[in-house]
Amino acid sequence: MAENKKTYYITTPIYYPSDKLHIGHAYTTVAADSMARYKRMRGYDVWFLTGADEHGQKIERKAKSVGKTPKEYVDEIVAGFKLLWEKLQISNDDFIRTTEERHKKVVQDIFQKMYDKGDIYKAEYEGWYCTPCETFWTEKQLEDKCCPDCGRPVELLKEESYFFRMSKYQDRLLEHIKNNPDFIQPPSRRNEMISFIESGLEDLCVSRTTFSWGIPVPFDEKHVIYVWIDALTNYISALGYGSGDEKFEKYWPADLHLVGKDIVRFHTIIWPAILMSVGLELPKKVFGHGWLLLAEGKMSKSKGNVVDPMELIDKYGVDAIRYYLIREIPTGADGYYSEEALVERINTDLANDFGNLVSRTTAMIDKFNGGLIPAPSAEEPIDRELREFAQKTVSNVENLMEEFELSNAVGEIWKLVNRTNKYIEETAPWALARDSSKRSRLETVLYYMVEALRFCTVMCTPFMPGLPPKVYMQLGIENETHVHTWESIEKWGALPSGVRINRGEPIFPRIDLKKLEIQEQQASEGAQGEKEKDDVDKKIENEITIDEFSRVDLRVAEVLKAEKVENADKLLKLEVDLGTEKKTVVAGIAEYYKPDEVVGKKVVIVANLKPAKIRGITSQGMILAASKGDKLGVITLDKDIPVGAKVK
Ligand code: MSP
């Protein structure tokens, strides 16, 4: 009965809408989603929450810099979050925004309760503030006078603020962490937190007067509630805490707050202390996962190396991206992102191991059994070994999921994929098919292959929700929903016999990275061409100021070398001299100029254009040219002006 189902409440951090989300944020949400989907399959009544943390000075400043109100700004970015989660097939039950009334009310209510209890008091605050991180630091926490988290400069701020008497909860907190070994996971983070608390908890500044984009302190409107009380409260405001909503009764305390290692401290010290102050139960578990890094370190907007998950989904498909993220970050540790590693995973694990298993299995059923899934008969030792392996895999995956060991759980599924591929080699159904006396042996082997494949597919469901329907379709069991469930793999042999399969396209086509680059390039050159044609016949509009124009640094440059770019009909690679330096420029002029026709020409180049990679070549500028119809001419000078001269 539905009412008796065990509940499971899982959350992600609520992300800052200061910018678009990157692949690291996608990791947290995909990991939480996989867990939510798994628990649903295991019969839990799951509530899965994600959302946006929309207040604070950083967002206020960011909005101002682009001429928008904070609300306009966050509305736009949050729409992008929702689109991304939809594309990633995130199955969240709610999406909380801290600008919503339902949230504001709860935050003010909690603040008031803490104040009434004497846990919040007013005092003068002086501290080192990092605006991008929205964090105050003590002098001794700074590293080289900069923020220890992001390394950027901090400012000394002094103001009247409200403080939360967190020190009061130090002992209770420590006791809770020590008595509940599961509360902070993995254990390394738990130890870090214990030493942090043991070194002494200071009271926490919980209001600001230096900006206004936040929730006002209910009894002192010139203060806004500082981000962490505001943000953390989302986990209960979304359940309708205080409004009589049955969701709060039903789902609180949370079973799992999944967060990145960067914010474990806030979730295991500040949040529990707030809950203790308000008199609410603490979440059962906080899991601090590792980071997804690039070879050169963290992703950051300023370094321009942020990986956009939307682009990757469009290019490789959502299941492949989800698989890669879960597989690549070992539980609790950091993982490294590279597109090559992603393609490698797709080609090896998905196309080769899994995809081939599907196509071999369906091909053999087609060829050796008229397209029907056979019925098994006597089990031989080699079959038993596969069956036991499959059954053991199910229990291993179940145990690993309990420990939030997602990467290892997927690793176990892949061991079964490979074991099944090996079983095919060992039993050689093609040889059995040649001998009519081995008919029933062949049928058993074919059945075992498909049943093991079905086990793998069911177990993949939480991680790659798009995959199972494709496999079930090919196996002809798309309507047999009772064999898609987790329960159905708790016993071997649920797969029905006599079903007709439908062979189909490869489930995961192999990716040829070289070909893909060329296609992308051609698409972007094509788009560029179209745009140019459009522009020529357009009316002159979009006025700009002289200041705006002067941001474009146009210079005279001499072409020193020119050569054709391999596999690109339209491109020439030029080396140009700007007097003070030489630059490489890739220009789309190869259909109009032979390389030696441009060498020696003095041209005009946009010298401060952000470098871009074109066919693997970093192009460091753009030469000016005019075109209409099928004519194109490079802009040159009618007098001999020295290279490097500014063009105004
Ligand atoms: N708004 C706060 C969280 C408040 S929760 C009550 C915040 N937001 S954030 O936008 O900065 O996102 C933080 C979370 O995004 C991290 O805790 C982590 O889960 C995820 N990640 C951000 N960058 C990441 C990587 N490079 N790799 C993995 N996860 C990353 O902090």
Side-chain angles (χ1 to χ4, degrees):
M1 275 194 311
E3 303 92 81
N4 292 338
K5 267 188 172 181
K6 271 181 78 179
T7 57
Y8 188 80
Y9 179 31
I10 179 170
T11 65
T12 71
I14 48 171
Y15 303 99
Y16 289 130
S18 41
D19 258 311
K20 286 197 318 192
L21 296 177
H22 58 61
I23 194 80
H25 304 110
Y27 167 70
T28 310
T29 311
V30 166
D33 183 66
S34 302
M35 195 58 171
R37 286 174 180 274
Y38 170 72
K39 287 286 178 182
R40 285 193 202 104
M41 285 185 88
R42 299 307 311 274
Y44 285 76
D45 173 347
V46 171
W47 196 256
F48 171 24
L49 176 71
T50 188
D53 184 1
E54 308 188 4
H55 292 127
Q57 190 168 18
K58 187 175 171 189
I59 288 173
E60 192 180 74
R61 285 187 183 167
K62 188 90 197 230
K64 200 168 169 204
S65 75
V66 293
K68 293 197 169 132
T69 66
K71 186 68 171 59
E72 282 167 351
Y73 183 78
V74 294
D75 279 352
E76 225 170 80
I77 304 262
V78 169
F81 286 12
K82 291 187 174 172
L83 201 67
L84 174 62
W85 300 151
E86 216 173 282
K87 271 201 138 178
L88 269 173
Q89 301 194 2
I90 302 302
S91 63
N92 54 305
D93 296 288
D94 196 359
F95 186 102
I96 181 89
R97 300 183 57 178
T98 54
T99 47
E100 287 175 83
E101 264 326 300
R102 60 170 174 159
H103 176 74
K104 286 191 196 167
K105 217 181 136 300
V106 179
V107 172
Q108 289 190 323
D109 187 34
I110 279 186
F111 203 91
Q112 185 77 53
K113 277 200 177 119
M114 293 163 77
Y115 183 69
D116 293 344
K117 197 174 172 184
D119 278 355
I120 284 181
Y121 62 93
K122 200 180 204 174
E124 175 101 314
Y125 185 80
E126 190 181 89
W128 294 96
Y129 189 64
C130 172
T131 307
C133 297
E134 313 219 19
T135 307
F136 268 103
W137 301 102
T138 59
E139 182 102 40
K140 76 171 192 271
Q141 286 173 316
L142 300 180
E143 280 170 17
D144 291 333
K145 299 211 161 77
C146 289
C147 170
D149 265 1
C150 71
R152 282 177 274 210
V154 285
E155 29 183 341
L156 187 64
L157 289 187
K158 192 173 185 173
E159 63 178 272
E160 183 189 67
S161 290
Y162 285 95
F163 282 80
F164 170 36
R165 235 178 266 287
M166 210 158 65
S167 49
K168 178 175 151 187
Y169 294 97
Q170 168 164 338
D171 295 342
R172 264 180 75 189
L173 206 53
L174 208 52
E175 199 183 296
H176 183 84
I177 296 175
K178 289 190 170 163
N179 292 342
N180 295 277
D182 259 6
F183 176 56
I184 307 175
Q185 286 293 322
S188 55
R189 313 247 187 266
R190 180 168 172 266
N191 298 337
E192 272 170 40
M193 291 306 118
I194 292 179
S195 3
F196 187 87
I197 302 171
E198 281 175 342
S199 72
L201 284 190
E202 286 176 20
D203 288 352
L204 183 77
C205 173
V206 289
S207 80
R208 326 267 341 126
T209 51
T210 44
F211 62 90
S212 58
W213 178 239
I215 302 174
V217 168
F219 45 84
D220 191 348
E221 297 254 323
K222 73 174 195 296
H223 287 256
V224 296
I225 297 172
Y226 172 58
V227 287
W228 282 101
I229 289 200
D230 176 350
L232 290 159
T233 302
N234 89 87
Y235 300 129
I236 57 173
S237 67
L239 296 179
Y241 167 70
S243 70
D245 188 331
E246 57 146 25
K247 279 205 295 297
F248 183 75
E249 291 304 318
K250 192 168 172 189
Y251 295 112
W252 191 258
D255 292 271
L256 180 64
H257 288 320
L258 176 65
V259 300
K261 61 181 183 181
D262 49 323
I263 55 172
V264 170
R265 187 158 57 88
F266 302 102
H267 284 78
T268 57
I269 298 176
I270 302 181
W271 181 222
I274 295 173
L275 290 166
M276 284 175 179
S277 171
V278 184
L280 293 174
E281 277 185 81
L282 307 194
K284 292 181 203 152
K285 193 186 276 190
V286 176
F287 191 101
H289 67 68
W291 277 55
L292 189 57
L293 300 170
L294 301 174
E296 68 261 32
K298 277 191 187 176
M299 264 172 256
S300 85
K301 259 257 136 55
S302 54
K303 283 194 221 153
N305 60 2
V306 172
V307 179
D308 181 356
M310 284 283 199
E311 280 173 22
L312 293 180
I313 300 168
D314 288 340
K315 205 158 153 189
Y316 301 111
V318 55
D319 284 327
I321 301 303
R322 288 180 61 119
Y323 174 83
Y324 170 77
L325 288 173
I326 297 291
R327 189 81 200 253
E328 209 66 16
I329 301 199
T331 308
D334 292 337
Y336 287 87
Y337 171 82
S338 79
E339 194 157 349
E340 290 72 30
L342 165 65
V343 170
E344 174 73 22
R345 282 267 179 223
I346 295 176
N347 286 344
T348 309
D349 300 10
L350 300 180
N352 261 7
D353 300 346
F354 197 100
N356 272 350
L357 178 58
V358 176
S359 48
R360 293 168 94 182
T361 307
T362 49
M364 284 190 248
I365 296 222
D366 217 20
K367 201 158 162 205
F368 307 142
N369 206 47
L372 296 178
I373 296 179
S377 43
E379 182 183 81
E380 293 198 357
I382 191 164
D383 313 328
R384 192 181 70 225
E385 202 201 305
L386 179 69
R387 171 173 59 75
E388 286 176 352
F389 196 101
Q391 289 169 321
K392 184 83 185 101
T393 304
V394 176
S395 76
N396 288 349
V397 169
E398 289 173 355
N399 293 336
L400 289 164
M401 291 305 279
E402 282 321 302
E403 301 301 316
F404 207 78
E405 297 258 4
L406 306 188
S407 171
N408 289 336
V410 172
E412 284 298 300
I413 305 173
W414 251 255
K415 282 187 199 155
L416 177 59
V417 169
N418 290 327
R419 181 67 194 84
T420 312
N421 276 321
K422 192 164 154 240
Y423 172 84
I424 299 175
E425 299 306 319
E426 289 166 349
T427 53
W430 47 90
L432 297 172
R434 284 196 292 267
D435 182 344
S436 59
S437 70
K438 302 257 170 71
R439 184 78 214 155
S440 79
R441 179 76 202 120
L442 171 68
E443 287 173 359
T444 303
V445 166
L446 292 177
Y447 184 87
Y448 270 59
M449 276 161 51
V450 195
E451 181 62 339
L453 167 61
R454 186 183 70 87
F455 266 54
C456 299
T457 310
V458 171
M459 286 187 280
C460 280
T461 316
F463 308 103
M464 292 183 274
L467 171 69
K470 292 183 197 154
V471 180
Y472 298 147
M473 183 67 84
Q474 297 212 7
L475 296 181
I477 53 171
E478 68 276 21
N479 295 322
E480 314 274 340
T481 49
H482 64 286
V483 299
H484 305 171
T485 63
W486 200 275
E487 260 178 335
S488 74
I489 53 168
E490 270 160 355
K491 220 179 103 249
W492 179 266
L495 178 75
S497 307
V499 173
R500 179 165 296 282
I501 60 149
N502 312 295
R503 289 188 63 191
E505 295 292 303
I507 301 267
F508 291 107
R510 278 185 70 81
I511 310 274
D512 182 338
L513 208 51
K514 277 254 144 41
K515 231 191 216 157
L516 200 75
E517 265 176 23
I518 292 171
Q519 277 166 3
E520 271 177 2
Q521 191 56 45
Q522 283 166 347
S524 86
E525 280 155 23
Q528 187 67 25
E530 285 309 307
K531 203 166 138 277
E532 279 158 11
K533 271 185 215 137
D534 276 359
D535 289 349
V536 164
D537 294 319
K538 256 196 190 160
K539 280 219 314 266
I540 293 165
E541 46 193 24
N542 295 335
E543 266 180 5
I544 58 166
T545 63
I546 190 82
D547 281 348
E548 281 167 319
F549 174 69
S550 66
R551 292 186 52 211
V552 184
D553 193 352
L554 298 172
R555 302 288 181 114
V556 174
E558 183 176 339
V559 180
L560 301 177
K561 281 190 202 153
E563 60 187 73
K564 289 202 67 136
V565 176
E566 212 184 310
N567 290 325
D569 300 342
K570 297 181 181 166
L571 303 180
L572 285 189
K573 176 182 163 193
L574 311 177
E575 188 181 312
V576 298
D577 180 11
L578 280 117
T580 48
E581 62 185 302
K582 295 192 175 102
K583 278 181 183 279
T584 301
V585 173
V586 177
I589 56 171
E591 290 174 317
Y592 309 93
Y593 293 91
K594 293 202 182 81
D596 55 7
E597 284 173 342
V598 281
V599 173
K601 267 199 197 330
K602 281 199 173 154
V603 297
V604 175
I605 109 157
V606 182
N608 61 342
L609 194 68
K610 199 170 155 195
K613 249 203 170 128
I614 302 178
R615 290 290 163 86
I617 304 166
T618 304
S619 179
Q620 303 163 302
M622 182 172 88
I623 67 164
L624 297 189
S627 70
K628 183 157 185 162
D630 56 4
K631 288 209 171 92
L632 179 141
V634 164
I635 311 296
T636 50
L637 298 153
D638 65 355
K639 293 216 172 85
D640 190 22
I641 308 284
V643 291
K646 238 180 130 41
V647 179
K648 294 182 277 198

